[in-house]
Amino acid sequence: MTLKVYNTLSRKKEEFVPIEPGKVKMYVCGPTVYNYIHIGNGRPVIFFDVVRRYLASQGYEVTYITNFTDVDDKMIRKAEEMAVTVPELAETFIAAFLEDIKTMGVHDATLNPRVTDNIQEIVDFIAALVEKGFAYEAGGDVYYRTTKFADYGKLSHQNLEELQYGIRIEVDDRKENPQDFVLWKAAKPGEIYWDSPWGQGRPGWHIECSAMVRKYLGETIDIHGGGQDLTFPHHECEIAQTEAVTGHPMANYWLHNAFLNIDNEKMSKSLGNGILIRDLLKQMKPQVFRFFMLAAHYRNPLNFSDESLKQAANSLERIQNAYDNLKHRLNTASATGEVDSAITARIQEINAQFVDKMNDDFNTPDAITAVFELVSEANHYLQQERVHSEAVQQFMAQLERFDAVLGLLSQAADELLDAEIEQLIVERTEARKSKNWARADEIRDLLTEKGIFLEDTPQGIRWRRK
């Protein structure tokens, strides 16, 4: 099965055909860096990380861009509250964002462009819109003329007259039309600003991404993604801006993830139910949060609750234990004879199932089902008294290939390394032989504290992470 993705623009699944064979140009809207990211922000971050990983696993060379909005109204207000400059505020929360996503196992983007590093490109883009008649200046501000772009509303599938005003579309008497949106904002006294043909000011929200996409990826890209809330107005406005200047589609495929609810309620400031990712990850392993996010299809709403996290933790433990069991048995596995061909065939069958599900619009919950089938097969095989080292390695390698896409196996930097654990177990065994019970207990307590549990098996002492 070839890869099919659900395109918000066409409202149907389409076969994925990249612009350039073997290469994918992908842009995902990043955060406005005025605060720490919350768990709702984590859904697009994790999902599009998996999309990028999966495409790479299928042999594509992926150029993955996600930006930082490091100047806007919220940042100016927050900087005033904290008595810092806007650039200082940005540095603080960009560093925090990168730290948080690294903790969640998210791979680095190819590039993280910042708005403030691309002001000239943004000014040039606005100037092109003005020249073509798609934008007009009013009192130092510049607005996009939505009535001139015939396809305005085609992404969100709304009529111009019926459009709901977005959070950053402001009603202003200077506008020719209420739906017109700002491209350049005149600076108020004391605000951060840049010079432009229309006076001192700063970019509007939507124009930033249009300028950066064109600069770093070109006039038309393969995939543009983000949360469902960005469909309108942000992505709608990006399309209007970009296609008015270039005359070409901005992106061939538009992907949007659904919302995250908390205990069946929408996460909002008014309800005060937002949870910061860095606070959550103090209570659990980041892989549990990743598993929770991937256990539902990205286009379906996802409900966050203590029970759902508990289920995620239990499910993830099954996968981690299977991998640890395989590593343990590899030490005593036999290398003589040949591997049963049925084992190899079954592993290949499960891999094909995984690929088939991921090719169906990145269906991670069904792909995880394939992972559990592999876990069951591995556990059944390990029940045998004698196992073959090559078969164990095949199971491990397949789990690692799945993990290269999903990122679920524990890789925490503060955990003891496998070799360190094995050495401590040897030392504890020797301590018990010499009846140094105090040292033996000390080592067991240390391992327990680090989440390592010891078990006696017919093949000797084995360990697993909790």
Side-chain angles (χ1 to χ4, degrees), residues 83-93:
V84 298
T85 66
V86 170
E88 287 170 341
L89 180 76
E91 289 299 331
T92 296
F93 289 114

Side-chain angles (χ1 to χ4, degrees), residues 9 27 78 92 116 126 128 178 217 229 297 308 348 363 372 378 457:
L9 191 63
Y27 185 95
K78 187 64 175 281
T92 296
T116 56
I126 297 171
L217 294 173
D229 55 318
H297 194 280
S308 59
Q348 292 173 345
N363 189 339
F372 280 120
T457 74

Side-chain angles (χ1 to χ4, degrees), residues 240-365:
Q241 294 162 162
T242 297
E243 297 185 6
V245 168
T246 68
H248 303 297
M250 183 179 187
N252 287 338
Y253 305 92
W254 291 83
L255 275 62
H256 295 92
N257 63 272
F259 291 117
L260 176 72
N261 298 321
I262 297 183
D263 292 325
N264 294 310
E265 288 188 312
K266 184 177 178 180
M267 188 166 57
S268 69
K269 289 182 180 177
S270 59
L271 292 173
N273 60 353
I275 300 171
L276 298 179
I277 283 176
R278 55 181 42 211
D279 290 339
L280 179 71
L281 298 186
K282 291 174 184 175
Q283 307 167 29
M284 68 181 65
K285 287 187 174 183
Q287 291 79 14
V288 172
F289 186 55
R290 279 188 75 104
F291 186 97
F292 161 74
M293 285 290 189
L294 300 177
H297 194 280
Y298 77 95
R299 287 191 288 111
N300 293 335
L302 180 57
N303 188 53
F304 180 95
S305 67
D306 289 341
E307 182 58 33
S308 59
L309 288 177
K310 195 177 299 181
Q311 291 174 0
N314 291 337
S315 297
L316 181 63
E317 188 174 13
R318 282 182 57 200
I319 299 172
Q320 187 70 52
N321 284 347
Y323 186 71
D324 291 343
N325 288 341
L326 288 164
K327 282 199 297 185
H328 174 72
R329 286 300 297 275
L330 191 58
N331 296 327
T332 57
S334 170
T336 59
E338 293 186 1
V339 177
D340 185 349
S341 60
I343 293 174
T344 301
R346 180 64 179 135
I347 291 173
Q348 292 173 345
E349 180 185 337
I350 294 171
N351 179 65
Q353 179 184 337
F354 179 91
V355 171
D356 189 56
K357 298 305 180 183
M358 288 298 292
N359 277 345
D360 183 14
D361 193 28
F362 308 107
N363 189 339
T364 55

Side-chain angles (χ1 to χ4, degrees), residues 416-461:
L416 290 171
L417 299 174
D418 293 358
E420 294 174 325
I421 295 168
E422 297 288 356
Q423 181 56 43
L424 283 170
I425 291 173
V426 169
E427 187 180 339
R428 180 176 176 271
T429 301
E430 293 301 320
R432 287 170 62 86
K433 285 180 180 178
S434 61
K435 298 187 178 181
N436 186 349
W437 309 117
R439 178 57 182 159
D441 290 344
E442 183 183 344
I443 293 172
R444 176 180 279 277
D445 291 344
L446 172 63
L447 292 171
T448 302
E449 182 184 330
K450 293 291 185 180
I452 308 300
F453 291 82
L454 305 181
E455 296 177 357
D456 291 319
T457 74
Q459 293 78 33
I461 296 175

Side-chain angles (χ1 to χ4, degrees), residues 10-267:
S10 64
R11 286 187 171 179
K12 63 182 181 181
K13 289 182 187 179
E14 300 176 5
E15 182 180 346
F16 178 72
V17 181
I19 297 166
E20 185 177 351
K23 296 184 178 181
V24 176
K25 294 184 289 185
M26 183 174 172
Y27 185 95
V28 175
C29 291
T32 301
V33 285
Y34 69 100
N35 206 339
Y36 299 110
I37 56 171
H38 56 69
I39 57 174
N41 304 135
R43 190 170 196 189
V45 168
I46 290 172
F47 169 66
F48 286 106
D49 176 59
V50 169
V51 170
R52 184 256 193 102
R53 286 170 176 244
Y54 180 67
L55 291 170
S57 78
Q58 297 305 295
Y60 289 105
E61 179 187 329
V62 183
T63 304
Y64 181 80
I65 306 288
T66 182
N67 72 296
F68 290 125
T69 297
D70 59 346
V71 61
D72 86 334
D73 292 344
K74 290 181 180 180
M75 294 199 63
I76 290 171
R77 290 194 296 267
K78 187 64 175 281
E80 289 174 352
E81 290 173 16
M82 296 178 65
V84 298
T85 66
V86 170
E88 287 170 341
L89 180 76
E91 289 299 331
T92 296
F93 289 114
I94 286 175
F97 174 84
L98 293 173
E99 179 185 348
D100 287 347
I101 68 169
K102 183 177 181 180
T103 302
M104 292 190 295
V106 174
H107 288 178
D108 291 338
T110 307
L111 192 67
N112 293 117
R114 304 185 187 193
V115 172
T116 56
D117 290 335
N118 293 277
I119 297 296
Q120 189 58 54
E121 287 80 5
I122 293 169
V123 169
D124 291 345
F125 207 115
I126 297 171
L129 287 167
V130 172
E131 184 181 346
K132 289 173 175 283
F134 284 93
Y136 58 94
E137 186 268 343
D141 292 343
V142 182
Y143 294 96
Y144 185 91
R145 186 176 278 122
T146 52
T147 53
K148 186 172 175 61
F149 187 70
D151 286 334
Y152 191 67
K154 68 178 179 179
L155 181 68
S156 51
H157 305 280
Q158 299 185 74
N159 243 295
L160 189 59
E161 293 77 16
E162 299 169 355
L163 288 175
Q164 297 297 312
Y165 298 161
I167 220 169
R168 301 193 193 189
I169 290 185
E170 301 169 0
V171 176
D172 191 321
D173 291 339
R174 293 172 298 168
K175 295 181 180 182
E176 294 178 357
N177 185 291
Q179 282 80 22
D180 292 352
F181 56 88
V182 69
L183 301 172
W184 185 261
K185 289 188 174 186
K188 296 174 183 176
E191 288 185 346
I192 187 171
Y193 67 85
W194 288 264
D195 292 323
S196 81
W198 317 283
Q200 296 174 340
R202 63 184 185 279
W205 179 35
H206 312 306
I207 194 66
E208 304 164 358
C209 290
S210 284
M212 288 187 281
V213 167
R214 185 172 70 157
K215 177 181 177 179
Y216 296 105
L217 294 173
E219 292 188 348
T220 302
I221 67 173
D222 295 295
I223 296 173
H224 197 319
Q228 179 184 328
D229 55 318
L230 297 183
T231 307
F232 182 85
H234 188 50
H235 289 165
E236 194 75 74
C237 295
E238 280 187 55
I239 288 174
Q241 294 162 162
T242 297
E243 297 185 6
V245 168
T246 68
H248 303 297
M250 183 179 187
N252 287 338
Y253 305 92
W254 291 83
L255 275 62
H256 295 92
N257 63 272
F259 291 117
L260 176 72
N261 298 321
I262 297 183
D263 292 325
N264 294 310
E265 288 188 312
K266 184 177 178 180
M267 188 166 57

